[in-house]
Amino acid sequence: MTASENLGVLIKETQAILHQRMDEVLRPLGLTVPQYACLQALHDTPGITGSELARRVFVSRQSTNIVLQGLEKRGLITRSDDQGPRRERATELTGAAVALLGEARTGVAAVAGRMTGGLSPADARRLHTLLTTCRDALAGR
């Protein structure tokens, strides 16, 4: 295996463990990682399109709709009855979602801190730059 292939495997292993650790802190809150990512994206980018939401949650548009339906049933989001452009419905967080998201962010931040705890601030910034470069190369940017 080449050095580049080894690096790709290491990144994938890291992502899988990160997902598992995030799941461990989110599960007691009744959230999955995709639900958390969805709430986070809706909070950070009000009016986000369904397509962009799917990209940020790393699932298909159809799966995003299923995630949204579950969040709506739990009273964590409200969705407009009126369809906007491209048949999309405006989606907003409820007060309960904002409170839950605050708790969830605390747990996820602890996981991220654990992941980068052995890095100096300069190393963490450098890793961010390097991973951004790798992502952009694959995305054709």
Side-chain angles (χ1 to χ4, degrees):
M1 196 178 298
T2 67
S4 294
E5 289 172 312
N6 279 326
L7 182 57
V9 170
L10 179 61
I11 290 170
K12 181 59 180 165
E13 287 174 342
T14 303
Q15 182 275 329
I17 295 168
L18 174 62
H19 191 281
Q20 181 181 15
R21 296 297 175 258
M22 287 174 62
D23 183 65
E24 289 167 359
V25 299
L26 293 170
R27 192 175 321 117
L29 300 175
L31 291 174
T32 65
V33 174
Q35 287 173 329
Y36 167 76
C38 187
L39 292 175
Q40 174 95 20
L42 289 168
H43 179 271
D44 293 347
T45 314
I48 189 172
T49 67
S51 296
E52 180 61 24
L53 186 59
R55 280 190 289 279
R56 291 203 189 172
V57 178
F58 304 107
V59 297
S60 68
R61 285 220 27 181
Q62 294 80 6
S63 294
T64 301
N65 198 39
I66 292 168
V67 170
L68 289 172
Q69 288 171 3
L71 293 172
E72 187 175 28
K73 284 180 186 171
R74 285 187 59 193
L76 296 174
I77 62 166
T78 58
R79 298 170 84 188
S80 170
D81 289 333
D82 299 326
Q83 293 183 350
R86 296 186 313 251
R87 299 179 19 191
E88 297 200 7
R89 297 167 55 195
T91 304
E92 295 181 2
L93 299 182
T94 64
V98 172
L100 184 62
L101 185 56
E103 281 186 72
R105 280 181 163 170
T106 299
V108 170
V111 170
R114 181 173 164 198
M115 178 178 69
T116 60
L119 301 176
S120 70
D123 285 344
R125 286 190 302 275
R126 181 74 176 135
L127 179 59
H128 184 273
T129 299
L130 294 169
L131 289 173
T132 299
T133 300
C134 291
R135 180 206 59 203
D136 291 352
L138 290 171
R141 296 180 189 163

